[in-house]
Amino acid sequence: MAHIIFGTVALLAGCFQVWPWFRRSYPKVHRWMGRAYFFGGVFPAGITVLGVAPFGHTGFGGNTGNTMLGVMWLITGFAGWRMARQRRFPEHRRWMIRSFALTTSIVVSRLWAVVLLIVQLPRLDTAYGGDEQAMIMAIGSAGVWLSWVVNLVIAEWWLEYTDHTGKPKSRRRPR
């Protein structure tokens, strides 16, 4: 229950944190919401998920994926907080984009579950011998990994190919 409450704080605060207009218009609120995002959301939710993820309902593969998600969430959140404390704001921004990508994994996991169900349902009899529970476990495990790994890949792509405003970077090479 604690993980869900703290995770909700991270999701709600994070939405405001990544909104460029909000950051520019309300820098003091951004700083306070950033503290709420990390200390009232990511940090306690990340710690509590480490206590429950190894014993989840998604089997060994999914439980491992959720545990790794928790570890990565704590690492990216802590790195972002540390960069802000050191006033290294470009690096802070990069780490927090990664952190928020992990924060949104819970939302994206629901989308992956639907996609994977559509893909796997026609294979129920052939791949799973008609065992719906085995199919659901496989979908859950794959969905856990896809939800945060794909989010991180997209975040890294975003950081590599856009400037600080979200516009595409110029790819011209110096002569």
Side-chain angles (χ1 to χ4, degrees):
M1 186 66 110
H3 169 71
I4 293 168
I5 292 167
F6 295 130
T8 301
V9 169
L11 266 172
L12 294 175
C15 288
F16 285 97
Q17 295 303 90
V18 298
W19 186 10
W21 174 85
F22 186 82
R23 280 194 321 268
R24 280 190 309 272
S25 300
Y26 302 100
K28 286 184 181 182
V29 178
H30 172 76
R31 283 191 295 276
W32 282 103
M33 284 189 83
R35 292 177 184 118
Y37 171 78
F38 183 68
F39 291 109
V42 172
F43 184 71
I47 294 295
T48 56
V49 79
L50 294 179
V52 296
F55 312 104
H57 63 279
T58 55
F60 179 72
N63 295 351
T64 303
N66 277 326
T67 301
M68 289 306 301
L69 166 59
V71 169
M72 295 298 294
W73 200 23
L74 287 168
I75 289 170
T76 58
F78 181 75
W81 172 75
R82 195 160 169 247
M83 294 299 110
R85 295 288 300 152
Q86 294 174 357
R87 306 190 65 75
R88 294 164 57 183
F89 297 118
E91 291 154 298
H92 162 72
R93 179 183 168 275
R94 294 176 68 83
W95 281 109
M96 296 318 280
I97 287 172
R98 293 176 183 113
S99 177
F100 189 65
L102 296 173
T103 301
T104 58
S105 69
I106 191 65
V107 176
V108 175
S109 72
R110 282 22 181 198
L111 301 173
W112 278 115
V114 171
V115 169
L116 293 170
L117 182 62
I118 290 167
V119 169
Q120 292 299 304
L121 200 52
R123 303 180 62 220
L124 176 60
D125 291 328
T126 57
Y128 302 100
D131 186 349
E132 289 181 13
Q133 190 60 33
M135 182 184 71
I136 290 168
M137 289 295 287
I139 288 171
S141 183
V144 164
W145 284 98
L146 288 170
S147 70
W148 70 269
V149 172
V150 171
N151 280 11
L152 267 186
V153 167
I154 291 168
E156 289 301 323
W157 174 86
W158 176 264
L159 292 169
E160 180 66 25
Y161 292 103
T162 62
D163 66 10
H164 71 282
T165 64
K167 296 177 185 164
K169 283 183 182 177
S170 172
R171 281 300 190 196
R172 293 181 53 198
R173 295 180 185 202
R175 296 179 192 227

